[in-house]
Amino acid sequence: MKRALAAGILLAFPLWAGAAGPAAPRSSALTDAGSGCGLGSLLFDGNAGVGAHSVAMTTNGFLFNNTFGMSSGTLGCDSSQPVRYKGERLYISANMTKLAQDMSRGGGETLAGLAELMGVAESDKAAFYALARTHFESIYAHESVTSDQVTDALVGLMKADTVLAKYVS
């Protein structure tokens, strides 16, 4: 009975610590949908899958090391980078057809939503729309293009653009 209680506490504590901690694991999850920075991320660097991310996040939450990493610039943490939700791939995947229509004409609600999601400032949206329209043929290179290919092409073009490079890392 004592063993079961101890095992339950050990299993529940990391979950509680992650939920009640200084929000580092949650903010990490929002920024890259992964395990973020911290000792857990360093220990499991290069591993993929739900198990590796879960154990890395649990380690970070259990040891409360994200705050230390952020304030000291260690453990793979870089607080100079903006906190961003990187849901572009999901958004593009869910809106492939409408986004293609908007990109082909250089404007529209779906393209505006993508600009908003990517954090493009109001003053740079015209450049973003123009880039999408100008390079539509290379972004949507063929009929069976995947959302990952669209995302990679768009991000690649933005990186090469002097105005839009600041929105992609």
Side-chain angles (χ1 to χ4, degrees):
M1 180 69 175
K2 288 181 180 178
R3 279 185 157 177
L5 181 61
I9 290 171
L10 286 173
L11 290 173
F13 182 74
L15 297 174
W16 171 82
R26 279 182 274 157
S27 65
S28 296
L30 288 174
T31 58
D32 64 1
S35 52
C37 68
L39 188 57
S41 299
L42 291 177
L43 289 173
F44 296 96
D45 186 36
N47 293 297
V50 173
H53 282 281
S54 296
V55 173
M57 286 186 351
T58 302
T59 302
N60 288 339
F62 184 72
L63 298 175
F64 296 103
N65 60 69
N66 288 85
T67 303
F68 171 75
M70 286 292 184
S71 60
S72 65
T74 60
L75 301 175
C77 299
D78 184 1
S79 60
S80 68
Q81 297 297 314
V83 176
R84 287 210 170 111
Y85 173 67
K86 297 187 178 188
E88 300 93 9
R89 288 187 189 275
L90 182 61
Y91 183 85
I92 290 172
S93 176
N95 297 291
M96 285 286 284
T97 303
K98 291 180 182 177
L99 190 59
Q101 294 168 347
D102 286 0
M103 284 185 172
S104 69
R105 62 177 183 250
E109 186 177 333
T110 307
L111 187 57
L114 180 60
E116 199 67 35
L117 187 62
M118 295 181 86
V120 177
E122 197 65 37
S123 60
D124 294 333
K125 286 184 179 175
F128 179 74
Y129 300 152
L131 178 129
R133 186 186 62 226
T134 303
H135 298 283
F136 174 75
E137 296 292 329
S138 62
I139 296 170
Y140 278 84
H142 49 84
E143 282 188 27
S144 59
V145 68
T146 66
S147 59
D148 282 340
Q149 291 170 325
V150 169
T151 305
D152 292 343
L154 180 62
V155 168
L157 290 166
M158 290 176 71
K159 282 182 180 178
D161 187 275
T162 56
V163 174
L164 301 172
K166 61 188 168 197
Y167 299 108
V168 290
S169 51

